[in-house]
Amino acid sequence: MMQLKNGEIDTFTVEPADFMTFQTAYMAFEFRKRIIGKAEKNGTVIYHYDHDQTQ
């Protein structure tokens, strides 16, 4: 998630089988409210970081 925040990557994908592991890390991430997910078919979620949001 820090790679998203730092602009090193634009998106990352979480597959349904990995969601619970991701959720644990997500909840501990300080800037989680700026990580935006879009659900795709079959439960895959693609996340990006909202760099434009005011703090």
Side-chain angles (χ1 to χ4, degrees), residues 9-23:
I9 60 174
D10 293 325
T11 64
F12 72 87
T13 302
V14 176
E15 299 296 333
D18 300 322
F19 182 78
M20 291 310 293
T21 301
F22 165 76
Q23 182 70 6

Side-chain angles (χ1 to χ4, degrees), residues 6-46:
N6 294 336
E8 297 170 26
I9 60 174
D10 293 325
T11 64
F12 72 87
T13 302
V14 176
E15 299 296 333
D18 300 322
F19 182 78
M20 291 310 293
T21 301
F22 165 76
Q23 182 70 6
T24 300
Y26 173 78
M27 292 308 292
F29 188 61
E30 179 181 0
F31 302 100
R32 71 180 170 268
K33 291 185 179 183
R34 297 186 72 181
I35 303 283
I36 309 298
K38 180 180 178 190
E40 299 288 318
K41 292 182 179 180
N42 301 320
T44 300
V45 182
I46 300 173

